[in-house]
Amino acid sequence: MSAATTELELFSKKKASTVIFCVIAAMAALSTLGNAGIVFALLFALMLTGMPVSISLGLSVLTFLFFFSNVPTEAVAMKLFTGIEKFEIMAIPFFILAGNFLTHGGVAKRMINFATALVGHMHGGLALGGVVACALFAAVSGSSPATVVAIGSILLPAMVKQGYPVKFGVGVIGTAGGLGILIPPSIVMVIYAVSTNSSIGQLFIAGVIPGLLLALILLTVTWMVAKKRKYPCLPKASFREVARTFRESIWGLALIIVVIGGIYSGLFTPTEAAAMSAVYAGFVSLVIYRDLGIKDIPKVLLSSASMSAMLLYIITNAVLFSFLLTSEQVPQDLTAWMISLGLSKITFLIFVNLLLLAAGNFMEPSSILLITAPLLFPIAMEMGIDPIHLGVLMTVNMEIGMITPPVGLNLYVASGISRLGLTETTKACMPWILVMLAYLMLITYVPVISLWLPQLLFK
C-alpha cells in the first residue's frame, strides 16, 4: 500500500512539474504579445499537458485573473451563473435527449429500410441507402456521432455481409454521419448561435440547402466508386414496398416538421422546438414503435444527462474565457490588427478555414467553436461577412474535424463498430476528406448556397 502511495505521489509531482514547466515556457514565448499572448499561452500550455479542454479554459482564466488582472474575483462567480442563463442553451440537453430516444427507439432501422427501398437497386445500393439514411436521421437527431452509431451499427455489418469492403463502408458512413451537425436541428449550430448571439432559427434554415447539397455530392461520389468497382445492388423495390417503408418511418420523419415547421411558423422558439422534439421522440419510441421499454428510460436519461453535463461544463468555462478576452479587449485588438493588414474577404476566409481545420485535429467541435467564434465573429462583421454564412462555414469545418485524427469523434465511433484500428479507419476516410475539402471551398466562396433560403424566408 505504501509503495503504491509513493508511486502515486511521484506521478502527481511529475505531472505538476510538467504543468508548471509548460505554463512558464509558453508564457515566456508569448509574453511579447501582451495580455492576449499570456492568455493563450496559459490555455495552450495546459492543453499540452493532456488536461481536458474545459478545465484548461477555466484554469487559464482563474490564473490570469489572480496574477495579471484587476478584475474582482466576485465577477468570476457571477459570470459562472449569468453566462449560462441564456434561454437558448436549454435547447442543447433537449436535442441530446431526443437523439438518444431516436437512436435506441427503432427510428434508425425504419429510416434505413425506407432509404434502401428508394436507392438500393442502384450500384452500391446499401452504401447509397446509408447516405440517405444518415441525411434523414441527421434531420431529427442534431448529432454527428449519434448518426454514425444509429446508422452504422445496422448498415456496416449488412454491407460487409453483402461483399462490400469494410473500409469503403466505414468511409461512407463515417463521412455521411457528419450531416448530423449540418442538417438541422444541429447542436453545433446552437453553440455557435449562443457564442455569437446569432439567430438559431436562421442558422437551422441556412443548413438545409448545404446539407442536401452535401448529401447529393456524397451520393454521386459513392455511386461512381461503386459502379467502377462493380459493388452489388439490391433488387428494385416495388412501389408498394417503398410506400410501406415510408409509412413505417413516417413517425420518425415527422419530427422534421415538428422542429423546422414549428420554428418557421412561429409556433415554437428553437428552445421550445427542442423540448417538443424530446417529448415527441420519447412518445414515438415508447408508444408508437415500442422498441424502447419503460425499463430502458433510466438508461436513456442517464446517457443524455451525462452528455449534457459535459457540454454545459465546457460552455460554462468557455463563457468565462470569453469574458476574460472581452475584459482585456482581445477581440477588439485582434480585429484592428487583422484590418490593418489589409486582408481581403478571400484571404480572411482562407485563414479561418486553415485555423479551424488545424484545431479540428486536436479538439472536439464544441470547444473549438466556443473558443474561436467570439474571436472570429467581430472580424467577420467588420469585413462584411454574413454571420449566418460564417456559422455554416464553421459547421462544415467541424464536420471535417469529425473524421480527422487524432480526436475525430466519428473515427472512434466507426472504428468501434467496424472493429478496424484507428489508423485503418483514418485511411478509409481519407478519400472522403478530400471530397469534404472541395465541398468546403464551395460553401466558403459561394455564400448564396447558405444564405438564399434564410433570406427568402426571413425577409
Side-chain angles (χ1 to χ4, degrees):
M1 177 68 74
S2 58
T5 304
T6 303
E7 286 183 11
L8 183 60
E9 289 175 351
L10 287 172
F11 175 78
S12 300
K13 289 178 181 178
K14 288 180 181 178
K15 191 73 173 178
S17 61
T18 302
V19 171
I20 294 169
F21 174 77
C22 287
V23 169
I24 293 173
M27 285 176 61
L30 292 176
S31 60
T32 56
L33 299 178
N35 288 344
I38 295 173
V39 171
F40 284 101
L42 286 167
L43 175 62
F44 295 139
L46 293 171
M47 285 168 47
L48 283 173
T49 65
M51 191 175 292
V53 175
S54 55
I55 298 176
S56 299
L57 285 168
L59 194 55
S60 60
V61 169
L62 292 175
T63 304
F64 186 90
L65 290 178
F66 275 119
F67 295 105
F68 302 100
S69 174
N70 294 321
V71 176
T73 53
E74 292 83 358
V76 177
M78 182 73 70
K79 198 64 184 176
L80 278 171
F81 290 98
T82 59
I84 56 172
E85 276 184 341
K86 293 182 179 178
F87 185 60
E88 295 85 352
I89 291 180
M90 290 177 61
I92 295 173
F94 285 128
F95 278 132
I96 290 172
L97 178 58
N100 276 337
F101 272 129
L102 296 171
T103 301
H104 298 92
V107 175
K109 176 176 63 179
R110 290 166 175 84
M111 287 184 174
I112 290 171
N113 291 338
F114 174 54
T116 52
L118 283 176
V119 297
H121 60 282
M122 302 168 70
H123 288 283
L126 271 182
L128 295 174
V131 175
V132 174
C134 283
L136 294 175
F137 196 81
V140 297
S141 71
S143 168
S144 182
T147 303
V148 177
V149 168
I151 306 301
S153 58
I154 299 173
L155 262 185
L156 278 176
M159 290 176 70
V160 173
K161 190 175 181 180
Q162 271 220 345
Y164 290 83
V166 64
K167 288 184 179 180
F168 177 73
V170 166
V172 171
I173 302 300
T175 307
L179 291 166
I181 60 171
L182 182 58
I183 295 178
S186 166
I187 294 172
V188 167
M189 285 184 176
V190 173
I191 291 173
Y192 171 84
V194 169
S195 301
T196 61
N197 290 317
S198 300
S199 166
I200 296 177
Q202 289 192 39
L203 277 168
F204 280 3
I205 296 298
V208 172
I209 292 179
L212 294 177
L213 177 61
L214 178 57
L216 182 61
I217 291 172
L218 294 178
L219 283 169
T220 303
V221 174
T222 301
W223 177 80
M224 291 171 63
V225 172
K227 185 177 181 181
K228 182 179 179 180
R229 297 179 181 176
K230 295 181 171 54
Y231 289 152
C233 54
L234 299 173
K236 185 175 176 63
S238 64
F239 177 78
R240 180 176 294 181
E241 179 70 11
V242 174
R244 181 186 65 80
T245 55
F246 174 72
R247 190 168 59 250
E248 290 177 352
S249 62
I250 189 64
W251 287 101
L253 296 173
L255 188 55
I256 303 171
I257 301 172
V258 172
V259 176
I260 303 301
I263 293 173
Y264 172 60
S265 67
L267 191 61
F268 307 130
T269 65
T271 303
E272 291 166 348
M276 282 299 301
S277 71
V279 173
Y280 181 86
F283 176 78
V284 169
S285 301
L286 290 165
V287 179
I288 305 297
Y289 291 152
R290 298 183 182 179
D291 285 6
L292 201 66
I294 298 297
K295 67 180 185 301
D296 300 315
I297 292 180
K299 178 183 175 183
V300 172
L301 293 176
L302 183 61
S303 173
S304 302
S306 176
M307 177 64 72
S308 300
M310 182 191 73
L311 279 176
L312 290 174
Y313 183 64
I314 294 173
I315 290 172
T316 302
N317 284 288
V319 165
L320 272 183
F321 190 75
S322 179
F323 164 71
L324 174 62
L325 294 180
T326 304
S327 68
E328 297 298 324
Q329 295 193 327
V330 173
Q332 295 89 328
D333 293 342
L334 185 60
T335 300
W337 177 68
M338 294 286 280
I339 297 298
S340 69
L341 294 177
L343 296 180
S344 65
K345 281 186 184 180
I346 293 176
T347 309
F348 173 69
L349 290 174
I350 290 174
F351 167 77
V352 170
N353 284 332
L354 291 176
L355 173 66
L356 295 176
L357 289 172
N361 289 304
F362 305 104
M363 291 188 285
E364 50 86 36
S366 302
S367 302
I368 296 173
L369 285 177
L370 289 164
I371 294 171
T372 60
L375 293 173
L376 297 174
F377 185 80
I379 306 173
M381 296 306 97
E382 191 71 27
M383 291 188 169
I385 298 170
D386 193 283
I388 302 302
H389 176 221
L390 180 66
V392 174
L393 182 151
M394 294 185 80
T395 302
V396 173
N397 275 282
M398 298 305 98
E399 279 190 280
I400 298 174
M402 289 282 194
I403 53 173
T404 53
V407 296
L409 295 178
N410 286 7
L411 287 180
Y412 285 96
V413 174
S415 174
I417 294 171
S418 63
R419 297 183 181 177
L420 284 178
L422 188 60
T423 303
E424 293 301 309
T425 305
T426 303
K427 289 178 181 177
C429 290
M430 199 60 69
W432 300 97
I433 294 177
L434 298 178
V435 174
M436 290 295 296
L437 289 173
Y439 170 75
L440 174 62
M441 290 298 100
L442 187 64
I443 292 297
T444 301
Y445 296 113
V446 188
V448 69
I449 297 172
S450 307
L451 298 178
W452 178 76
L453 193 57
Q455 287 175 350
L456 178 68
L457 299 179
F458 290 91
K459 285 183 178 179

